[in-house]
Amino acid sequence: VKKDVKKAFEYKLKGAELGDDYCQSCVAYDYENGIGVKKDEKKAVEWYLKAVNQGNVNAMCNLGNMYEKGKGIEKNESKAADMYKMAAEKGYATAQRNLGWLYYEGKGVQKNMKEAAK
């Protein structure tokens, strides 16, 4: 089929509205980046939260990034660390790296070089 990001977004949204956590995370990502839909970081946060509540590790990491950068939500490095930690504990490598960086910098957590290296 011909690539159609708007149509793809519509299908992802249908799945998200039916409660699929993967689709919810995809919809959030699309809102965050304006893929097939007008960019809306607040809606991205809403959809990431829905996916996080179902245990989606990708959404945990991406929501952590939203908190860390203050995108679509008030900047909160402590909550970013919490999101990264939840995903990191489930083996999500990107979240492990991001959490390590926060420990290295002492942002949102007590600076801890051992935890950063871990």
Side-chain angles (χ1 to χ4, degrees):
V1 296
K2 184 179 175 188
K3 182 176 179 177
D4 185 339
V5 293
K6 288 183 181 185
K7 191 67 159 172
F9 177 80
E10 290 173 17
Y11 282 114
K12 292 177 216 176
L13 184 58
K14 285 181 184 183
E17 289 170 341
L18 290 172
D20 183 84
D21 66 294
Y22 177 76
C23 289
Q24 290 169 345
S25 183
C26 290
V27 164
Y29 183 85
D30 287 355
Y31 271 122
E32 179 184 358
N33 296 287
I35 300 171
V37 67
K38 184 179 177 190
K39 184 175 181 172
D40 187 331
E41 292 175 342
K42 290 183 188 234
K43 282 187 180 180
V45 168
E46 291 172 19
W47 283 107
Y48 280 136
L49 281 168
K50 290 178 185 194
V52 164
N53 288 334
Q54 295 194 77
N56 186 290
V57 293
N58 187 56
M60 291 171 194
C61 187
N62 288 346
L63 183 57
N65 185 265
M66 301 289 278
Y67 275 120
E68 184 180 358
K69 307 272 192 276
K71 292 171 54 177
I73 198 164
E74 187 175 334
K75 183 176 180 171
N76 187 323
E77 291 169 337
S78 178
K79 286 187 179 182
D82 290 343
M83 287 291 112
Y84 291 149
K85 187 174 184 182
M86 284 178 15
E89 288 174 347
K90 294 179 181 278
Y92 197 72
T94 303
Q96 291 167 344
R97 181 202 63 216
N98 292 353
L99 181 60
W101 187 252
L102 291 183
Y103 275 115
Y104 179 82
E105 292 287 321
K107 292 183 177 179
V109 292
Q110 181 78 27
K111 187 171 184 159
N112 185 323
M113 299 312 278
K114 283 187 180 182
E115 284 296 313
K118 180 178 148 187

